[in-house]
Amino acid sequence: MEKFFELLTQMNPFDLVQVIFWGMAGAISFYFSIGNARVWTSISIGFFLIFLSQAYGINPWGHYQKLTAFHYIVGTVAIMMITHGFLEYYVFCRTFEISGNKLIVYLSTLGILAASGAFLLINPNPSPNTIRNIRMVENAIWVFLCVMNIELVRKIYLAIKDSDISKGFIAFGLVFFFIFLWKGSELYLQIFQWDQDWQDIIALMTDESTDFDQYPARIQFSQEVRRYAGLLSGISVGGTFTYIYRLLK
Amino acid sequence: MFLLPKGNPLFENLAVTKLKLPDVLLKLSTGGFTGYSSFVFQTSTVILVFEAGKLVSALLEDRNGKRQNGFEALSALAELMVSSGSGTMNVYKLSKDLTMCIHALLEGETLYKAQELKLIDINSLLGKVKNDRMNGCLRIYTEEHSAMIFYKEGNPLGFFHDGSGDIESSSSESQKIAGLPGAKIDLFATQSVEEIMGINLLEVANIQKIWDATVALHQSEIDRTNKERQERDIKAATLRLAELEEQVKVIVGEYVGKVGRGIVDKELSENGGNSCLIDEAGFAKFLSGVERAAKLLISGTNIKAMMEKLTSTITIAKSDS
């Protein structure tokens, strides 16, 4: 516990606030998944998993590299779950078919996470470079699935725009826009090797140089976008689920 | 309608609907019956004349005075017995002479029909009968009573009135009827007994076949009517269900939005069509499906209100049908 509080005091206050908001959003979305229709389960579980993926900063055992890698894998599973949920919702809007049950969704999610954990366990300890690669893959998946989800949400909204819940999908569109900015700016920094992880890697482990100092403005801008869009994403997810909860009450 | 004096009644006011023509004719024939049998329906009267068990004459007269004889009359009688649903049969025993007079009368020609007695010169008419040396019959009748005076070569042969089994010589009953208000007369020219054909209609007509064909035809008519009614009922029920389905779609659409119609269509097709709306178990499943889908789109409060409205609409529709 002491280690946990020590980590909290060491964290950047901005990142801490972001994790707290994601914690609240995760709690709200998880609660939402319990009391609502099956189709919402994938979506809300997915958003809950974002919190788990963001919580590595406050994880007392976060210095274990396999655990850090696991956090990023959880992040990838999160966006896949969310996309699966919105796809199901879109199918429902076109065919009115609702299939499956909540327990299977919960168990499948646990199964995927367990399989990911097993994958990390049976493989060598990931280097910082490998962890950065995993994180970059996660961000790439997030960016492209965010674009796809914005299109799905638009189509869902058009199909159900005269129902109670339709405005909730506009809110989801906003959520994915913020997440797109958040993950997109992070991916941008990673692709051009301007991210903090790469700076740490080359400072300690390689002889490679960096052009970090040549583009301070765009790097600064991207970092600010990442910070604020990440914060807004957490706030908007919590707000959206609260709003939908009220619409469906 | 043709009303004969009643003679000696053997049976009166038997319900025709319970009788079968072949059985009736067989019974009168094998019993060697002499006299006449009348079948009185709302639209027609049929008279069958028997002489020693032989069916010598059959006459049908409808309300308008239109007549049918012989085979046609028997066929029409069978049809009336099968299809009229009402009617009475009377059987009156008569002497052989009187029976032959009735037979001759039925085969004869109508000269005057339904003449108001008070409007005609009866003496002049009787003078004409005498002068023309007519073979004939003068029928004097009211709505309920009837008497007949038979003439042979212009001379009165005798009288026949209610309760008499033979030709009588007393004219008192005829005079009595002639004095009743509204009394009318018919004058018929009859054929001589020698001229009328003594054919037994039971031998030339297959009564059983006529009866069976009539019953079969009537049954097919009933079947056709039933089928038409069933088709009408099915069509009406289909129409009612379609109206109910539309009502349900409007209600769900009102709460859920335009996708509501699609949800209703999908649930109806999964529960065997719109007939599930009036089936208790089917409607429960339908409602559950609509509710499950609506949970993804509208608030709990609206779902509750929609369910109540749907249930009350279906309850009203069920009680109306």
Side-chain angles (χ1 to χ4, degrees):
Chain A
M1 190 56 78
E2 278 179 27
K3 176 88 175 166
F4 175 69
F5 285 111
E6 190 184 324
L7 279 169
L8 288 182
T9 52
Q10 285 173 2
M11 267 186 92
N12 177 327
F14 198 91
D15 291 344
L16 184 60
V17 169
Q18 188 172 317
V19 171
I20 291 169
F21 273 116
W22 272 115
M24 286 165 62
I28 293 168
S29 63
F30 191 80
Y31 176 74
F32 189 84
S33 84
I34 295 167
N36 269 291
R38 217 284 301 153
V39 175
W40 283 112
T41 314
S42 305
I43 297 170
S44 47
I45 287 289
F47 280 108
F48 172 72
L49 290 179
I50 297 179
F51 162 67
L52 292 186
S53 73
Q54 292 301 304
Y56 66 89
I58 56 169
N59 185 346
W61 299 279
H63 56 283
Y64 291 109
Q65 286 162 313
K66 285 193 175 182
L67 202 56
T68 309
F70 187 69
H71 275 286
Y72 298 135
I73 290 176
V74 169
T76 311
V77 173
I79 184 59
M80 290 171 77
M81 291 293 295
I82 292 167
T83 306
H84 176 252
F86 278 106
L87 263 175
E88 280 199 313
Y89 205 106
Y90 179 65
V91 169
F92 161 76
C93 290
R94 309 304 298 182
T95 66
F96 313 109
E97 284 289 344
I98 308 167
S99 55
N101 66 59
K102 287 184 177 189
L103 188 63
I104 289 176
V105 176
Y106 288 126
L107 292 177
S108 304
T109 310
L110 282 174
I112 292 166
L113 293 178
S116 306
F119 174 80
L120 288 171
L121 284 175
I122 61 171
N123 278 296
N125 213 28
S127 67
N129 207 4
T130 307
I131 292 173
R132 182 176 173 274
N133 286 342
I134 293 172
R135 193 172 181 179
M136 196 151 53
V137 169
E138 181 207 353
N139 285 335
I141 292 173
W142 265 102
V143 168
F144 290 111
L145 289 186
C146 272
V147 174
M148 180 180 160
N149 280 328
I150 287 169
E151 174 61 6
L152 271 181
V153 162
R154 185 186 72 84
K155 285 191 169 181
I156 291 170
Y157 172 75
L158 289 177
I160 62 162
K161 65 180 173 188
D162 48 357
S163 68
D164 294 353
I165 202 172
S166 60
K167 288 189 177 67
F169 282 87
I170 295 176
F172 271 124
L174 205 61
V175 164
F176 284 116
F177 175 69
F178 288 139
I179 295 178
F180 172 77
L181 292 179
W182 172 35
K183 297 289 184 181
S185 57
E186 201 168 299
L187 182 64
Y188 173 73
L189 291 169
Q190 286 172 326
I191 286 170
F192 287 94
Q193 298 174 323
W194 295 328
D195 58 309
Q196 191 54 51
D197 289 343
W198 182 252
Q199 305 310 316
D200 293 344
I201 289 167
I202 61 169
L204 297 172
M205 298 178 188
T206 72
D207 298 327
E208 285 192 48
S209 59
T210 176
D211 57 358
F212 190 91
D213 297 330
Q214 292 175 35
Y215 307 99
R218 68 183 66 187
I219 292 170
Q220 178 67 27
F221 176 74
S222 298
Q223 284 173 340
E224 292 304 313
V225 169
R226 186 185 74 82
R227 277 153 56 93
Y228 286 102
L231 181 65
L232 287 172
S233 301
I235 294 170
S236 62
V237 167
T240 299
F241 275 106
T242 308
Y243 179 50
I244 290 177
Y245 183 79
R246 286 178 63 189
L247 290 177
L248 292 181
K249 199 172 176 183
Chain B
M1 263 197 273
F2 201 86
L3 184 66
L4 285 174
K6 291 179 178 173
N8 287 334
L10 290 184
F11 303 105
E12 278 190 314
N13 297 321
L14 293 177
V16 167
T17 49
K18 292 176 183 172
L19 301 174
K20 289 181 178 172
L21 185 61
D23 296 348
V24 170
L25 297 183
L26 185 67
K27 192 168 183 181
L28 294 173
S29 172
T30 52
F33 172 68
T34 300
Y36 77 92
S37 168
S38 67
F39 295 80
V40 182
F41 300 97
Q42 277 187 334
T43 55
S44 316
T45 300
V46 180
I47 290 169
L48 304 180
V49 181
F50 286 85
E51 195 267 309
K54 289 196 294 184
L55 177 60
V56 293
S57 184
L59 172 77
L60 177 144
E61 189 182 77
D62 68 16
R63 193 177 281 171
N64 303 318
K66 193 180 164 194
R67 287 184 171 196
Q68 289 177 317
N69 295 82
F71 182 79
E72 281 185 347
L74 284 173
S75 298
L77 173 60
E79 199 177 320
L80 285 165
M81 286 178 79
V82 169
S83 62
S84 69
S86 64
T88 55
M89 185 187 104
N90 309 291
V91 180
Y92 300 104
K93 192 176 177 184
L94 304 173
S95 70
K96 186 180 173 184
D97 289 343
L98 186 51
T99 300
M100 291 320 285
C101 286
I102 297 292
H103 177 29
L105 170 65
L106 297 184
E107 298 290 324
E109 183 189 354
T110 306
L111 298 177
Y112 296 103
K113 176 80 177 165
Q115 300 295 313
E116 289 274 353
L117 195 55
K118 63 182 180 184
L119 298 179
I120 62 166
D121 183 351
I122 189 72
N123 289 328
S124 153
L125 184 66
L126 293 176
K128 180 177 167 52
V129 170
K130 191 170 180 65
N131 293 337
D132 291 354
R133 299 171 62 81
M134 272 180 64
N135 289 327
C137 172
L138 184 66
R139 188 163 77 103
I140 307 162
Y141 61 98
T142 63
E143 286 291 318
E144 291 168 355
H145 301 284
S146 173
M148 290 178 159
I149 308 164
F150 290 101
Y151 293 88
K152 187 174 183 182
E153 294 180 349
N155 295 313
L157 194 63
F159 301 88
F160 172 36
H161 50 75
D162 292 344
S164 57
D166 205 346
I167 297 174
E168 294 185 1
S169 55
S170 166
S171 65
S172 59
E173 184 68 18
S174 306
Q175 286 171 347
K176 201 169 138 188
I177 293 171
L180 290 172
K184 293 177 182 173
I185 65 160
D186 296 336
L187 180 63
F188 303 99
T190 60
Q191 293 179 322
S192 68
V193 173
E194 293 78 22
E195 285 172 344
I196 56 175
M197 289 170 69
I199 297 171
N200 182 3
L201 285 171
L202 295 178
E203 287 175 354
V204 294
N206 189 333
I207 301 297
Q208 189 62 50
K209 267 195 175 173
I210 292 172
W211 179 257
D212 290 345
T214 308
V215 168
L217 185 69
H218 181 64
Q219 190 56 49
S220 74
E221 278 290 311
I222 290 172
D223 291 347
R224 190 177 58 80
T225 311
N226 285 345
K227 197 178 168 191
E228 279 174 5
R229 196 178 57 234
Q230 274 180 342
E231 282 171 1
R232 260 199 321 273
D233 289 350
I234 289 169
K235 203 173 170 184
T238 308
L239 203 66
R240 274 203 305 274
L241 276 174
E243 283 171 3
L244 188 58
E245 180 183 330
E246 185 55 30
Q247 275 181 289
V248 167
K249 281 180 178 171
V250 168
I251 293 169
V252 176
E254 187 184 317
Y255 285 92
V256 174
K258 67 177 181 183
V259 289
R261 297 184 80 84
I263 291 171
V264 172
D265 279 335
K266 186 243 173 192
E267 290 304 325
L268 288 179
S269 77
E270 283 200 349
N271 290 290
N274 57 15
S275 58
C276 75
L277 294 174
I278 51 168
D279 168 66
E280 202 164 319
F283 181 59
K285 280 175 77 180
F286 167 80
L287 267 191
S288 154
V290 169
E291 186 179 14
R292 197 169 53 147
K295 273 183 180 173
L296 285 170
L297 298 162
I298 58 171
S299 68
T301 315
N302 279 341
I303 289 173
K304 197 178 166 196
M306 182 180 74
M307 290 295 138
E308 281 170 4
K309 205 165 177 180
L310 283 174
T311 308
S312 94
T313 303
I314 297 296
T315 308
I316 291 167
K318 272 186 185 173
S319 63
D320 287 349
S321 61

